[in-house]
Amino acid sequence: MGVIHVTDRAGQRHTLEAIEGWRVMEIIRDWGLPIEGLCGGACECATCHVFVAEEWLDKLYPPTEEEEDQLDTVITRPNSRLSCQILWTPELDGLEVTLAPTGA
């Protein structure tokens, strides 16, 4: 097991235990932080939108066309990702993300 660090919309940083193979969205949701993930990880909405810390972007697989299509429906930054499309692995131990504003 490892951890991810999540900054919530109020600016508070949370360190969450992560399980290999789980989607980052599932980890955040199961620890009780306010992330919707309405589609359950099917890449059909953008309610799990996060901003990934710059130093972690190169460690992630690039977004798929489907993910980019969903990100087009919200206000994004260059470091925007859907957390349902990031599978946690030991290589991502210490991953830093920030929850995007609701509706953004």
Side-chain angles (χ1 to χ4, degrees):
M1 241 187 259
V3 299
I4 63 173
H5 304 288
V6 181
T7 302
D8 65 24
R9 293 179 188 99
Q12 183 176 353
R13 188 174 187 256
H14 306 266
T15 298
L16 312 177
E17 286 185 8
I19 298 173
E20 185 171 1
W22 281 42
R23 299 171 189 278
V24 169
M25 178 268 298
E26 295 169 322
I27 297 166
I28 295 169
R29 180 196 61 206
D30 287 0
W31 278 100
L33 294 182
I35 194 165
E36 290 187 51
L38 291 177
C39 73
C43 200
E44 294 179 357
C45 70
T47 60
C48 67
H49 178 204
V50 296
F51 303 121
V52 176
E54 297 290 334
E55 62 270 17
W56 286 96
L57 288 174
D58 290 341
K59 296 177 179 152
L60 303 178
Y61 286 105
T64 63
E65 185 176 330
E66 292 83 8
E67 181 179 355
E68 288 179 346
D69 288 346
Q70 288 304 323
L71 287 169
D72 284 344
T73 68
V74 293
I75 298 169
T76 59
R77 298 179 187 167
N79 61 334
S80 288
R81 292 297 302 266
L82 298 182
S83 60
C84 72
Q85 298 303 297
I86 304 170
L87 290 179
W88 191 87
T89 64
E91 293 77 29
L92 297 180
D93 188 22
L95 176 68
E96 297 259 358
V97 299
T98 299
L99 301 181
T102 304

